[in-house]
Amino acid sequence: MSKTEAKDLPLGTSAEHSRMHTVIRRVCWVLLIGLVIEGALVTPFTLIWLGWPTLSIQEICDGLTKVQYSDPEQTCEDSYPINSPPFGGEPVKGNPETSGDEWGVQPRPGYDKIGFRELVRIQQELDAQNSTAGK
Amino acid sequence: MKRPPTPALAGAAIGAGPDSSVSYEDHLEESRKAQRQADKWLIAGTVLMGMTLPGIIGLPLFFRGLALLRKASRAGLTVRPMIVTLIGYMVFLDAAINSFGWALDLMANHALIYRTFMMGWGSIFDAGYFWHYNELGLGGASAPGEKAWEIACVLTVFPMRMAACIGLLQMKRWGHQWMIITCWFGVVIWVGYVFNMTMYADLRFSGILLPVIGWWLFDIFYITPFLAIPYLHTVNREIFSD
């Protein structure tokens, strides 16, 4: 390595490690920008995938709970007092009867994956059933 | 940086500067000002980026800080090397975002907006955050072992690592040493977490949208300790002053 090249090295970087430090610096850029973009987009992506803004946050929570327990009767509580877990109170009970889990040392859930805006369809079907039953 | 760099390093930088007639004290003062100015932008950007959603606003602020740092460096001022800046802020961001998510899962798991988002995220990437969510006595993720990792990391390793990042960014010797320690902790966390998750893979990856590969694509950006460790062990530690 020439004197000029050695002089151009960043502080603390020796000639023998300069290539590795360059690679590390470049990967740092990728990870840092990736962390930021992922962090900023994951919430909107998740909510839009699940059905927002057609469904409200409360309705998405309801839909997720119905899928969790394979039970259309399940609903999601809209609010809890401040002394709920971990600060006290009773945890969520759910419905182990309908969840369809295979229980054992390594349990396996019984629900199916949720497709793009599938909760909207589930909600609409339930609304249609309810209105028919109401008639 | 609160403390001036070592005379040897500062002297080298003065020689490299465009105007070698400035006094050593003037050079140090100018360097400190430039570093402080850049750090204001970098910190403001990182605070926003660490809160996830406003990260898109924080990123340009962060870039502005990097540009100021680069400009100062090219002007011959003695400022922190770019790679130290990137590693320090990146590892800080990793710990901050992790703490943000896991602290909420520990403390705010019954808040409607949080449990809806978390169960939704779990139904896509990791059912540890969907399967019987909030049924534990403490609430939050019900996957076996998950709560223990949350408590261990949020209460010990992540705050230690964030403190270490601040020390590293101030070019302190203790910052360099504690970055090494907490990044090796990070290796332990990665190995332990991945194997715990693998033991309960049926539970965590059945019935979700993007199992395993989706999880890795999402979480690969948190491998920062593996990137920092080779640098920390090969950098000339004399640039970090006592």
Side-chain angles (χ1 to χ4, degrees), chain A residues 91-111:
Chain A
V92 170
K93 290 258 184 327
N95 190 348
E97 299 297 319
T98 58
S99 67
D101 292 338
E102 287 173 28
W103 286 101
V105 182
Q106 291 169 311
R108 190 184 178 91
Y111 45 70

Side-chain angles (χ1 to χ4, degrees), chain B residues 95-107:
Chain B
I97 295 178
N98 260 310
S99 299
F100 182 63
W102 268 356
L104 286 173
D105 194 75
L106 265 178
M107 305 293 221

Side-chain angles (χ1 to χ4, degrees), chain B residues 16 32 40 47 49 113 119 134 154 197 205 210 239-240:
Chain B
R32 258 197 302 270
K40 280 182 186 170
V47 166
M49 295 189 303
I113 181 81
M119 288 194 295
N134 266 343
V154 170
M197 196 166 61
F205 296 121
L210 300 170
I239 68 170
F240 300 96

Side-chain angles (χ1 to χ4, degrees), chain B residues 19 26 35 54 58 62 64 69 108 112-113 120 139 143 148 162 174 181 203 210 212 235:
Chain B
D19 181 6
D26 288 344
Q35 184 68 69
F62 188 80
R64 163 87 175 141
L69 206 59
L112 179 66
I113 181 81
M162 285 191 271
W174 69 263
I181 293 167
L203 180 164
L210 300 170
V212 189
V235 66

